[in-house]
Amino acid sequence: EITSLRLLTEKETGRSRGMAFISFSTKSGLEAALKFNGDDYGGRTLTVAIASGQDRAAGGGGGKKGGSKGGRVTRGGGKVNGGKGGKKGKGPKIRPDGCTSVVLKGVSYEATEEDLQSLFQGCGQGPCSVRILTDRETGQPRGTVFLDFDPEDVEGMDAAVTKDGAELRGRWFRADYAQPRAV
């Protein structure tokens, strides 16, 4: 039985960020939920793990001391448990020197340049250009997008990166600073 559920949402839109903290009344309930780890749900991989004490301090997890009955569920394979796991969800992002672009990964294949311009128009001056990467052979989108900003629009890049976990056309995406190419 679930005793509490906290769904994380975007402050501006109120839409789900694809993460939830769920507390269970019994250890068997938690163990049953943990079995969903790695399952496909709507084209996204679920990550289900016991929340760390850090997550409970932020208002999630719940359960008894030590986290034995609290769990965190994320869509898209984000990191959980205080940084254990894959490369995604590294925490605070640091803009590399010379960076003028933001990279989006996991973007819906239906997203258009207009959708992206509209979503990021309030980020500083907005992106100067939007590059949707496509497969060389099929021409189909790969789910990766580069947003190029004016080099002086540091606030715009910073604002764009805060949209990490936002949803566009039914799919959550990751946003990070793009590493500048070596000259």
Side-chain angles (χ1 to χ4, degrees):
E1 177 183 333
I2 294 174
T3 57
S4 72
L5 182 136
R6 180 172 172 245
L7 182 67
L8 302 183
T9 57
E10 286 292 319
K11 290 180 183 176
E12 299 91 30
T13 64
R15 297 183 108 185
S16 170
R17 291 183 52 208
M19 290 185 280
F21 290 93
I22 304 171
S23 295
F24 300 90
S25 60
T26 63
K27 188 171 183 174
S28 62
L30 171 64
E31 289 169 354
L34 290 171
K35 291 179 183 176
F36 288 100
N37 187 40
D39 284 3
D40 180 79
Y41 181 79
R44 303 296 294 255
T45 303
L46 285 176
T47 300
V48 182
I50 296 173
S52 69
Q54 181 180 22
D55 292 331
R56 276 191 311 281
K64 290 190 176 183
K65 194 171 188 175
S68 65
K69 294 184 187 175
R72 177 176 176 185
V73 179
T74 67
R75 293 179 66 184
K79 285 170 95 174
V80 295
N81 286 343
K84 297 174 186 157
K87 297 190 302 185
K88 301 167 190 151
K90 296 182 212 171
K93 297 172 170 100
I94 299 170
R95 187 172 23 83
D97 290 337
C99 177
T100 60
S101 300
V102 170
V103 61
L104 309 177
K105 295 182 180 179
V107 176
S108 169
Y109 299 133
E110 287 82 36
T112 66
E113 190 173 324
E114 293 78 25
D115 292 333
L116 292 156
Q117 283 284 2
S118 175
L119 182 63
F120 289 93
Q121 72 182 357
C123 298
Q125 301 166 19
C128 309
S129 71
V130 174
R131 293 177 287 146
I132 300 173
L133 299 189
T134 56
D135 183 275
R136 289 180 187 165
E137 294 177 16
T138 66
Q140 296 298 312
R142 291 175 43 195
T144 302
V145 175
F146 284 91
L147 305 174
D148 297 321
F149 286 82
D150 183 292
E152 303 297 316
D153 191 12
V154 174
E155 287 142 10
M157 282 184 279
D158 292 346
V161 170
T162 66
K163 293 200 181 275
D164 183 45
E167 183 183 356
L168 179 63
R169 291 204 174 234
R171 191 159 178 193
W172 286 265
F173 61 84
R174 294 175 304 283
D176 201 353
Y177 297 103
Q179 293 294 326
R181 290 187 174 184
V183 181

